[in-house]
């Protein structure tokens, strides 16, 4: 079974002072929408939320008020993504053989897509949601000039959830030590240790809210899905 870790402790620096996690879509905070999608999965046995430092009680109250049935606890996040994950990992139950880490700011992920990633993680030990690159990507040197153009058919945008066999993730965390704190992508932890990470290609929009315009776009997509 999986323990789902919802990362909602970011600083929202590009949101013009607004907390994107508490922004509401159809009356529900963004991080709650993300957590509820995992709460509905039969493969998930518990949900752990990492909240901004000193706001754990506030987020706990909000999460409970929206009926997240599998909520185990809310922990204080750290200064970096890796530290937030580490704080949440300390609360993962022994019964959970796998963990799934998800950006709270990706509320559009359907439970069906979550289950596809989790099933792949059970098969391959590590799997991440990803979307094929829609644009041509350029590798640029320190002089600001293009060095090369990688073939687009082999490029993917890494998303979340990213799911792992718990023992694998913990072993990699121990091996890398403080180096793990510099990583902005959870699967990079396994990659740095020589492990293989499977790609689960997303079949629908799973965008992350980073800027104010993103919130409007996600809200529009959310309401369109409900209408359809």
């Amino acid at each position: 079974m999986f323990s789902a870790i919802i990362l909602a402790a970011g600083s929202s620096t590009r949101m013009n002072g607004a907390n994107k996690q508490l922004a509401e879509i159809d009356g529900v905070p963004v991080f709650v929408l993300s957590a509820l999608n995992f709460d509905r999965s039969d493969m998930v046995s518990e949900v752990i939320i990492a909240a901004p430092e000193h706001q754990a009680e506030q987020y706990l109250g909000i999460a409970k008020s929206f009926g997240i049935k599998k909520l185990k606890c809310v922990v204080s996040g750290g200064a970096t993504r890796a530290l937030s994950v580490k704080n949440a990992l300390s609360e993962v139950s022994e019964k959970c053989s796998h963990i799934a880490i998800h950006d709270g700011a990706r509320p559009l992920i359907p439970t069906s897509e979550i289950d596809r990633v989790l099933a792949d993680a059970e098969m391959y030990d590590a799997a991440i949601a990803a979307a094929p690159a829609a644009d041509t990507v350029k590798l640029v040197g320190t002089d600001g000039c293009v060095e090369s153009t990688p073939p687009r058919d082999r490029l993917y945008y890494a998303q979340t959830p990213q799911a792992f066999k718990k023992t694998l993730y913990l072993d990699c965390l121990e091996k890398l030590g403080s180096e793990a704190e510099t990583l902005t992508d959870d699967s990079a932890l396994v990659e740095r240790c020589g492990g293989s990470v499977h790609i689960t290609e997303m079949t629908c929009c799973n965008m992350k809210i980073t800027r104010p315009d993103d919130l409007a776009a996600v809200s529009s997509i959310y309401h369109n899905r409900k209408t359809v």
Side-chain angles (χ1 to χ4, degrees):
M1 293 299 289
F2 283 81
S3 178
I5 297 171
I6 309 298
L7 299 179
S11 58
S12 299
T13 54
R14 288 169 283 186
M15 286 292 293
N16 298 334
N19 185 336
K20 63 187 177 186
Q21 302 290 349
L22 297 180
E24 294 186 355
I25 296 176
D26 205 22
V28 184
V30 166
F31 86 92
V32 173
L33 285 173
S34 294
L36 284 171
N37 291 331
F38 283 83
D39 196 56
R40 298 184 187 105
S41 171
D42 292 336
M43 300 180 72
V44 173
S45 61
E46 65 183 19
V47 175
I48 299 171
I49 297 170
E53 193 175 7
H54 309 307
Q55 289 184 267
E57 286 299 319
Q58 177 190 0
Y59 276 57
L60 177 62
I62 294 171
K64 285 184 175 179
S65 71
F66 283 94
I68 301 175
K69 298 175 184 178
K70 298 175 185 176
L71 180 67
K72 183 183 183 187
C73 62
V74 177
V75 301
S76 290
T80 65
R81 179 189 186 88
L83 289 174
S84 292
V85 173
K86 190 174 182 180
N87 290 349
L89 282 171
S90 66
E91 298 295 336
V92 171
S93 299
E94 287 290 333
K95 65 180 180 180
C96 293
S97 58
H98 293 72
I99 60 168
I101 303 168
H102 187 65
D103 299 321
R106 291 186 190 271
L108 292 176
I109 182 78
T111 301
S112 58
E113 294 290 86
I114 291 171
D115 286 346
R116 290 179 58 235
V117 179
L118 304 193
D120 280 347
E122 287 185 329
M123 182 176 295
Y124 299 101
D125 290 347
I128 66 171
D135 304 309
T136 298
V137 178
K138 301 290 186 178
L139 181 65
V140 178
T142 55
D143 59 356
C145 294
V146 173
E147 288 186 351
S148 65
T149 304
R152 192 171 67 182
D153 60 352
R154 295 185 61 194
L155 297 177
Y156 280 78
Y157 301 126
Q159 300 179 346
T160 66
Q162 300 195 357
F164 312 91
K165 187 175 182 180
K166 183 171 67 175
T167 52
L168 169 66
Y169 194 87
L170 292 175
D171 286 347
C172 291
L173 199 61
E174 184 177 358
K175 287 178 182 177
L176 288 186
S178 59
E179 183 185 347
E181 297 177 17
T182 66
L183 303 178
T184 57
D185 177 81
D186 306 297
S187 63
L189 184 77
V190 176
E191 293 169 38
R192 292 280 181 92
C193 292
S196 178
V197 178
H198 183 77
I199 290 291
T200 306
E201 187 171 321
M202 293 290 94
T203 62
C204 63
C205 181
N206 182 29
M207 71 180 291
K208 183 179 180 181
I209 299 170
T210 303
R211 299 175 177 83
D213 284 352
D214 297 334
L215 180 60
V218 167
S219 181
S220 178
I221 294 169
Y222 178 84
H223 285 105
N224 183 62
R225 285 184 184 175
K226 286 189 69 176
T227 301
V228 172

